[in-house]
Amino acid sequence: MARGTLRIYLGAAPGVGKTYAMLSEAHRRVERGTDCVVAFVEHHHRPRTEVMLHGLEQLPRREIEYRGGTFTEMDVDAVLRRAPKVALVDELAHTNMPGSRNTKRWRDVEELLAAGIDVISTVNIQHLESLGDVVESITGVRQRETVPDEVVRRADQIELVDMSPQALRRRMAHGNIYKPDKVDAALSNYFRPGNLTALRELALLWVADRVDAHLTEYRSEHHVSAIWGSRERIVVGLTGGPEGRTLIRRAARLAEKGAGGEVMAVYISRSDGLTAVSPKELALQRTLVEDLGGTFHQVVGDDIPAALLDFARGVNATQIVLGVSRRRSWQYVFGPGVGATVARESGPDLDVHLITHAEVGKGRGLPVARGARLGRSRVISGWLAGVLGPLLLTWLLKSVVPDIGLANHMLLFLTLTVAAALLGGLLPALASAVVGSTLLNWFFTPPVHTLTVADPQNIVAIVVFVGVAVAVASVVDLAARRTHQAARLRAESEILSFLSGNVLRGETGLEDLLERVRETFGMESVALLERAGEKDPWTCAGSVGPGPATTPDAADVDVPVGDHMALSLCGRVLPAADRRVLAAFAAQAAVVVDRRRLKGEADRAEELAEGNRIRTALLAAVSHDLRTPLAGIKAAVTSLRSDDVEWSEEDQAELLEAIEEGADRLDHLVGNLLDMSRLQTGTVTPIIRETDLDEVVPMALGAVPEDTVDLDVPESLPMVGVDRGLLERSVANIVENAVKYSPPGERVLVSASAMADRVEIRVVDRGPGVPDEVKDRIFEPFQRYGDAPRGDGVGLGLAVARGFAEAIGGTLHAEDTPGGGLTMVLAVRTAPGRRRERPDVSPAVTS
């Protein structure tokens, strides 16, 4: 059975019209005769969206009983039995209620796709898992319902539902998204223009990146080598010289002129060695380009202009930035230089910028590694000197300066042989020795014009000449090969130093490291494979490039890492000399994988440590919060048992009532504490129910005098999904702390208001306040502001309050009260179940 297709409407914020667009598409398909049904769509009482459901077949939902409440979720079995061609599934990132078939709705969608059903769904950009931290820094709200990026990326079609922040706020003000009594709070919090603009930019950039990935894949599959300037990509060619920083800054300014511009700095090293470059300078340039938002790449290529152009065309670049050559004027006789060559061969679709800088014409310094390998021009020059040189010298000696003696003739021919060795190496020098000795014998050794040598001394001289020529040629060739090896080792050490520095600093992820391998060795794809045992199948820990190998045997190059891991490369067979560096890359890849696993274990250990900290705080809180009711019970019992006082019936009843009230409070508190302790051990979950705050918050004020608190909790607030007991204890601790630090005669204000998908309870006091640097510390166990020894309590109230708040999915933080004092903000989520049955409840921002 063919897998179904997934189409996703992606929005930047709630209310942009994702569900409306999805329903419009459904009506278009139904009109064309497509079997399309509504599996789950939440209209949130938005009239225009609700009208769009008319005329569409809606499948019944599944009702789930949970903690005394009834909730509805998508009935996956009903959809599979109905087997439509297309199913509409709203809110892809939604978390299903406990007892559902799957924990997340996107897993429900995966089942429908596997059954061959096409799915149309919706999701907001803030629900993508990788953007959680970014969205929180922008909006101040941590999105708890997320969907993995890969699930959305695998969609066959993604359509961006876009709307300007001003238009969205107008829709909000007109009541098209939330109820009128919720509009002001939403506009002043989540739906601020800055928030909406930033979220919109995130959505546009994310979709643009996905489009770019599709474009790259298409170009690769269809072997398109021409530049498609759909986006400004600027490649900066670096030499490792001091002018590199100037080029990078200039490229960054060029990129800023166009939206979405990208800067990629590339350093090209020869396959057999690097030129004279400062590793420190190259590292500084890498840091600079990354600080400016670009990327750094290092590739291998013997022909630098060709390698630079291949890289630029491979990344679909539109511009290349190069520096004017640092060579001196006389050095241009050896060639036009990299800049001129790249400009000449770039073609009409790739612009080349030559940037002037302070180092122009100052030279490159000592050519330490230049000539590490004898290039083609030097070899040709060596053959010319070794073969044509002796012929030309013979003509000069016979025509211009005859009769200078055999010894001088031999020295001149030996000079040509040494020159041929210096230029072309061993073979041209040997050829020069053979040609020179033959010409000496024929033209200058008596009897001339014959190969016969009459004088034995001349025979010795010719033999010595040939021997010296061969020896000089061998020494020169050996020195060239040693220089070649030293340059290659230097290249390897540069790469390994660069690699190990990045990995040790934790700056390179696995995919980045594999991409570095692919670029360095010019491969098509690289994959890191691993398996648990010798007989277990191979699994891919990470890969880059199209068509990565699934087993080591299927790869062109396979480098084992230990017993159960292998680095597999596809593209070409590498020489044996490259495997040493490749083995180092493989070892570093294993280090990255191990570090990633250790980080996961460290995160789990941190969670366990946090749970242990909360349990410790809870145990200590028993002595902290039980002291007052126990003291009251003890005092009442002691009074009743006293024989010194005759208590009236009214007094006895009052004391007994105090005992009963204290016992009830103790029972209630101990039960909540024990439930929280079991929660931290994983043996119990909070009892989450739909709750009205006006029923819970007043009960939390029983421990403080009535004249110390002003209560403002509107009855029109939406219901929240919390554990009532834990919420009550959290609010009680916060209020008790606020009353304790409030000046005499100043009342503590306890108010509540709806903020998009959450309700905030604010406890405002006019006390001394808390500096910003200790606002987080006051929530730690046994901490009091200033660690002052005087006053009641041992500093556990706020620690317990935050622990309870986080247990029910809320947050607790401190803010400054305008005019002086401290405000505690306790935020809890609105109930996800039957909120739509209440006409005064605003829909959640996560919809």
Side-chain angles (χ1 to χ4, degrees), residues 654-693:
E654 184 178 348
L655 291 173
L656 290 174
E657 183 181 357
I659 294 173
E660 184 178 10
E661 181 182 349
D664 290 341
R665 185 178 175 189
L666 283 175
D667 179 70
H668 185 65
L669 178 58
V670 170
N672 289 335
L673 290 174
L674 292 178
D675 284 344
M676 187 60 184
S677 178
R678 287 194 295 270
L679 169 67
Q680 297 302 320
T681 61
T683 58
V684 70
T685 57
I687 304 175
I688 304 297
R689 294 178 179 174
E690 293 183 353
T691 303
D692 283 320
L693 286 181

Short mmCIF file of all heavy atoms in Angstrom, two decimals, residues 654-693:
data_model
loop_
_atom_site.label_atom_id
_atom_site.label_comp_id
_atom_site.label_asym_id
_atom_site.label_seq_id
_atom_site.Cartn_x
_atom_site.Cartn_y
_atom_site.Cartn_z
N GLU A 654 -15.21 25.77 71.43
CA GLU A 654 -14.27 26.54 70.61
C GLU A 654 -12.92 25.85 70.52
O GLU A 654 -12.31 25.79 69.44
CB GLU A 654 -14.12 27.94 71.21
CG GLU A 654 -13.24 28.86 70.37
CD GLU A 654 -13.15 30.25 70.95
OE1 GLU A 654 -13.93 30.59 71.86
OE2 GLU A 654 -12.28 31.02 70.46
N LEU A 655 -12.43 25.31 71.65
CA LEU A 655 -11.16 24.59 71.62
C LEU A 655 -11.25 23.33 70.77
O LEU A 655 -10.33 22.97 70.02
CB LEU A 655 -10.72 24.26 73.04
CG LEU A 655 -10.30 25.46 73.91
CD1 LEU A 655 -10.06 25.01 75.34
CD2 LEU A 655 -9.05 26.12 73.34
N LEU A 656 -12.36 22.59 70.91
CA LEU A 656 -12.53 21.38 70.09
C LEU A 656 -12.62 21.73 68.61
O LEU A 656 -12.11 21.00 67.74
CB LEU A 656 -13.79 20.63 70.54
CG LEU A 656 -13.72 19.96 71.91
CD1 LEU A 656 -15.07 19.38 72.29
CD2 LEU A 656 -12.65 18.86 71.93
N GLU A 657 -13.28 22.84 68.32
CA GLU A 657 -13.35 23.27 66.92
C GLU A 657 -11.96 23.61 66.38
O GLU A 657 -11.63 23.30 65.24
CB GLU A 657 -14.27 24.48 66.81
CG GLU A 657 -14.47 24.95 65.37
CD GLU A 657 -15.37 26.16 65.28
OE1 GLU A 657 -15.90 26.59 66.33
OE2 GLU A 657 -15.53 26.69 64.16
N ALA A 658 -11.13 24.24 67.23
CA ALA A 658 -9.76 24.56 66.81
C ALA A 658 -8.96 23.28 66.55
O ALA A 658 -8.17 23.20 65.61
CB ALA A 658 -9.08 25.42 67.87
N ILE A 659 -9.18 22.28 67.43
CA ILE A 659 -8.49 21.00 67.22
C ILE A 659 -8.93 20.35 65.92
O ILE A 659 -8.11 19.85 65.13
CB ILE A 659 -8.75 20.07 68.42
CG1 ILE A 659 -8.11 20.63 69.69
CG2 ILE A 659 -8.22 18.66 68.13
CD1 ILE A 659 -8.45 19.85 70.94
N GLU A 660 -10.25 20.34 65.68
CA GLU A 660 -10.76 19.72 64.46
C GLU A 660 -10.26 20.45 63.22
O GLU A 660 -9.85 19.82 62.23
CB GLU A 660 -12.28 19.73 64.48
CG GLU A 660 -12.89 19.01 63.28
CD GLU A 660 -14.41 18.99 63.35
OE1 GLU A 660 -14.98 19.68 64.22
OE2 GLU A 660 -15.01 18.29 62.52
N GLU A 661 -10.27 21.79 63.28
CA GLU A 661 -9.79 22.57 62.14
C GLU A 661 -8.31 22.32 61.88
O GLU A 661 -7.88 22.16 60.74
CB GLU A 661 -10.04 24.06 62.40
CG GLU A 661 -9.59 24.96 61.25
CD GLU A 661 -9.81 26.42 61.56
OE1 GLU A 661 -10.49 26.73 62.57
OE2 GLU A 661 -9.30 27.27 60.79
N GLY A 662 -7.50 22.28 62.96
CA GLY A 662 -6.08 22.00 62.78
C GLY A 662 -5.83 20.61 62.24
O GLY A 662 -4.94 20.39 61.40
N ALA A 663 -6.63 19.62 62.73
CA ALA A 663 -6.46 18.25 62.24
C ALA A 663 -6.82 18.14 60.77
O ALA A 663 -6.13 17.46 59.99
CB ALA A 663 -7.31 17.30 63.08
N ASP A 664 -7.93 18.81 60.38
CA ASP A 664 -8.30 18.79 58.96
C ASP A 664 -7.21 19.43 58.09
O ASP A 664 -6.89 18.93 57.01
CB ASP A 664 -9.62 19.54 58.76
CG ASP A 664 -10.80 18.78 59.34
OD1 ASP A 664 -10.66 17.55 59.56
OD2 ASP A 664 -11.84 19.42 59.60
N ARG A 665 -6.67 20.52 58.59
CA ARG A 665 -5.62 21.19 57.83
C ARG A 665 -4.39 20.32 57.72
O ARG A 665 -3.76 20.23 56.66
CB ARG A 665 -5.27 22.52 58.49
CG ARG A 665 -4.27 23.36 57.70
CD ARG A 665 -4.03 24.68 58.39
NE ARG A 665 -2.99 25.43 57.70
CZ ARG A 665 -2.44 26.54 58.17
NH1 ARG A 665 -2.86 27.04 59.32
NH2 ARG A 665 -1.50 27.16 57.50
N LEU A 666 -4.04 19.62 58.82
CA LEU A 666 -2.90 18.72 58.79
C LEU A 666 -3.14 17.57 57.81
O LEU A 666 -2.26 17.20 57.03
CB LEU A 666 -2.63 18.16 60.19
CG LEU A 666 -1.93 19.10 61.17
CD1 LEU A 666 -1.85 18.44 62.54
CD2 LEU A 666 -0.53 19.44 60.68
N ASP A 667 -4.35 17.00 57.86
CA ASP A 667 -4.65 15.89 56.97
C ASP A 667 -4.57 16.33 55.51
O ASP A 667 -4.01 15.62 54.66
CB ASP A 667 -6.05 15.37 57.29
CG ASP A 667 -6.44 14.22 56.38
OD1 ASP A 667 -5.86 13.13 56.50
OD2 ASP A 667 -7.32 14.44 55.52
N HIS A 668 -5.13 17.50 55.24
CA HIS A 668 -5.10 18.02 53.87
C HIS A 668 -3.67 18.29 53.41
O HIS A 668 -3.27 17.92 52.30
CB HIS A 668 -5.93 19.31 53.82
CG HIS A 668 -6.07 19.88 52.45
ND1 HIS A 668 -6.76 19.23 51.44
CD2 HIS A 668 -5.62 21.04 51.91
CE1 HIS A 668 -6.71 19.96 50.34
NE2 HIS A 668 -6.03 21.08 50.60
N LEU A 669 -2.87 18.90 54.27
CA LEU A 669 -1.49 19.24 53.91
C LEU A 669 -0.63 18.01 53.74
O LEU A 669 0.13 17.88 52.77
CB LEU A 669 -0.90 20.16 54.98
CG LEU A 669 0.57 20.57 54.80
CD1 LEU A 669 0.75 21.28 53.47
CD2 LEU A 669 1.01 21.46 55.94
N VAL A 670 -0.75 17.05 54.67
CA VAL A 670 0.07 15.84 54.57
C VAL A 670 -0.28 15.05 53.32
O VAL A 670 0.59 14.51 52.63
CB VAL A 670 -0.11 14.98 55.85
CG1 VAL A 670 0.53 13.61 55.66
CG2 VAL A 670 0.51 15.68 57.03
N GLY A 671 -1.58 15.00 53.01
CA GLY A 671 -1.97 14.30 51.79
C GLY A 671 -1.34 14.92 50.55
O GLY A 671 -0.84 14.21 49.67
N ASN A 672 -1.36 16.26 50.46
CA ASN A 672 -0.76 16.93 49.31
C ASN A 672 0.74 16.71 49.25
O ASN A 672 1.32 16.49 48.17
CB ASN A 672 -1.07 18.43 49.36
CG ASN A 672 -2.53 18.72 49.07
OD1 ASN A 672 -3.19 17.94 48.40
ND2 ASN A 672 -3.03 19.83 49.58
N LEU A 673 1.40 16.78 50.40
CA LEU A 673 2.85 16.59 50.42
C LEU A 673 3.23 15.18 50.00
O LEU A 673 4.18 14.97 49.26
CB LEU A 673 3.39 16.90 51.82
CG LEU A 673 3.36 18.38 52.24
CD1 LEU A 673 3.79 18.52 53.69
CD2 LEU A 673 4.27 19.20 51.35
N LEU A 674 2.49 14.20 50.48
CA LEU A 674 2.80 12.82 50.11
C LEU A 674 2.54 12.59 48.62
O LEU A 674 3.30 11.88 47.95
CB LEU A 674 1.97 11.86 50.96
CG LEU A 674 2.34 11.82 52.45
CD1 LEU A 674 1.43 10.87 53.19
CD2 LEU A 674 3.80 11.41 52.62
N ASP A 675 1.47 13.18 48.08
CA ASP A 675 1.21 13.05 46.65
C ASP A 675 2.34 13.66 45.84
O ASP A 675 2.78 13.09 44.83
CB ASP A 675 -0.11 13.73 46.29
CG ASP A 675 -1.31 12.89 46.72
OD1 ASP A 675 -1.13 11.69 47.00
OD2 ASP A 675 -2.42 13.46 46.78
N MET A 676 2.84 14.82 46.27
CA MET A 676 3.93 15.47 45.56
C MET A 676 5.21 14.64 45.65
O MET A 676 5.97 14.53 44.68
CB MET A 676 4.17 16.87 46.15
CG MET A 676 5.18 17.69 45.37
SD MET A 676 4.66 17.95 43.67
CE MET A 676 6.07 18.82 43.03
N SER A 677 5.45 14.05 46.80
CA SER A 677 6.64 13.21 46.95
C SER A 677 6.56 12.00 46.03
O SER A 677 7.54 11.63 45.38
CB SER A 677 6.77 12.76 48.42
OG SER A 677 7.88 11.93 48.58
N ARG A 678 5.37 11.37 45.96
CA ARG A 678 5.23 10.22 45.06
C ARG A 678 5.33 10.66 43.60
O ARG A 678 5.79 9.90 42.75
CB ARG A 678 3.89 9.53 45.32
CG ARG A 678 3.86 8.75 46.62
CD ARG A 678 2.66 7.82 46.68
NE ARG A 678 1.40 8.57 46.69
CZ ARG A 678 0.79 8.99 47.79
NH1 ARG A 678 1.34 8.72 48.98
NH2 ARG A 678 -0.34 9.64 47.73
N LEU A 679 4.91 11.90 43.31
CA LEU A 679 5.06 12.41 41.96
C LEU A 679 6.52 12.45 41.53
O LEU A 679 6.88 12.07 40.42
CB LEU A 679 4.45 13.82 41.88
CG LEU A 679 4.73 14.61 40.61
CD1 LEU A 679 4.04 13.97 39.43
CD2 LEU A 679 4.30 16.06 40.77
N GLN A 680 7.38 12.90 42.43
CA GLN A 680 8.80 12.99 42.11
C GLN A 680 9.43 11.63 41.93
O GLN A 680 10.43 11.49 41.23
CB GLN A 680 9.53 13.77 43.21
CG GLN A 680 9.08 15.22 43.35
CD GLN A 680 9.25 15.97 42.05
OE1 GLN A 680 10.24 15.81 41.35
NE2 GLN A 680 8.27 16.80 41.71
N THR A 681 8.88 10.61 42.55
CA THR A 681 9.41 9.25 42.38
C THR A 681 8.78 8.54 41.20
O THR A 681 9.14 7.39 40.91
CB THR A 681 9.19 8.42 43.66
OG1 THR A 681 7.79 8.33 43.92
CG2 THR A 681 9.89 9.06 44.84
N GLY A 682 7.83 9.19 40.54
CA GLY A 682 7.21 8.59 39.37
C GLY A 682 6.11 7.58 39.67
O GLY A 682 5.71 6.82 38.79
N THR A 683 5.63 7.55 40.90
CA THR A 683 4.61 6.56 41.27
C THR A 683 3.21 7.13 41.25
O THR A 683 2.24 6.40 41.47
CB THR A 683 4.91 6.01 42.68
OG1 THR A 683 4.93 7.08 43.61
CG2 THR A 683 6.26 5.30 42.69
N VAL A 684 3.05 8.42 41.02
CA VAL A 684 1.73 9.02 41.00
C VAL A 684 1.79 10.25 40.11
O VAL A 684 2.85 10.87 39.96
CB VAL A 684 1.26 9.40 42.42
CG1 VAL A 684 2.04 10.57 42.98
CG2 VAL A 684 -0.23 9.69 42.44
N THR A 685 0.68 10.61 39.51
CA THR A 685 0.60 11.82 38.71
C THR A 685 -0.40 12.78 39.35
O THR A 685 -1.34 12.35 40.03
CB THR A 685 0.12 11.49 37.28
OG1 THR A 685 -1.13 10.82 37.35
CG2 THR A 685 1.13 10.61 36.57
N PRO A 686 -0.22 14.09 39.14
CA PRO A 686 -1.18 15.04 39.69
C PRO A 686 -2.58 14.79 39.12
O PRO A 686 -2.74 14.34 37.98
CB PRO A 686 -0.64 16.40 39.24
CG PRO A 686 0.80 16.15 38.94
CD PRO A 686 0.91 14.76 38.45
N ILE A 687 -3.58 15.07 39.91
CA ILE A 687 -4.96 14.90 39.47
C ILE A 687 -5.37 16.19 38.77
O ILE A 687 -5.80 17.16 39.39
CB ILE A 687 -5.89 14.60 40.67
CG1 ILE A 687 -5.39 13.36 41.42
CG2 ILE A 687 -7.32 14.39 40.20
CD1 ILE A 687 -6.16 13.06 42.68
N ILE A 688 -5.22 16.21 37.46
CA ILE A 688 -5.51 17.40 36.67
C ILE A 688 -7.01 17.42 36.35
O ILE A 688 -7.52 16.48 35.73
CB ILE A 688 -4.67 17.43 35.39
CG1 ILE A 688 -3.18 17.32 35.74
CG2 ILE A 688 -4.95 18.70 34.60
CD1 ILE A 688 -2.65 18.46 36.57
N ARG A 689 -7.65 18.48 36.76
CA ARG A 689 -9.07 18.63 36.51
C ARG A 689 -9.36 20.05 36.05
O ARG A 689 -8.59 20.98 36.33
CB ARG A 689 -9.89 18.33 37.77
CG ARG A 689 -9.82 16.88 38.22
CD ARG A 689 -10.62 16.70 39.49
NE ARG A 689 -10.60 15.32 39.95
CZ ARG A 689 -11.11 14.91 41.10
NH1 ARG A 689 -11.69 15.78 41.90
NH2 ARG A 689 -11.06 13.63 41.45
N GLU A 690 -10.50 20.18 35.40
CA GLU A 690 -10.97 21.52 35.08
C GLU A 690 -11.39 22.20 36.37
O GLU A 690 -12.23 21.68 37.12
CB GLU A 690 -12.13 21.47 34.10
CG GLU A 690 -11.74 20.97 32.71
CD GLU A 690 -12.91 21.00 31.75
OE1 GLU A 690 -14.03 21.27 32.22
OE2 GLU A 690 -12.71 20.76 30.56
N THR A 691 -10.80 23.37 36.64
CA THR A 691 -11.00 24.02 37.93
C THR A 691 -11.26 25.50 37.73
O THR A 691 -10.62 26.14 36.88
CB THR A 691 -9.75 23.82 38.82
OG1 THR A 691 -9.50 22.42 38.96
CG2 THR A 691 -9.96 24.44 40.19
N ASP A 692 -12.18 26.03 38.52
CA ASP A 692 -12.40 27.47 38.57
C ASP A 692 -11.49 28.07 39.64
O ASP A 692 -11.50 27.62 40.79
CB ASP A 692 -13.86 27.79 38.90
CG ASP A 692 -14.76 27.60 37.69
OD1 ASP A 692 -14.34 27.97 36.59
OD2 ASP A 692 -15.88 27.08 37.85
N LEU A 693 -10.74 29.09 39.26
CA LEU A 693 -9.83 29.69 40.23
C LEU A 693 -10.59 30.34 41.39
O LEU A 693 -10.07 30.40 42.51
CB LEU A 693 -8.95 30.74 39.54
CG LEU A 693 -7.84 30.19 38.64
CD1 LEU A 693 -7.03 31.33 38.05
CD2 LEU A 693 -6.92 29.27 39.41
#
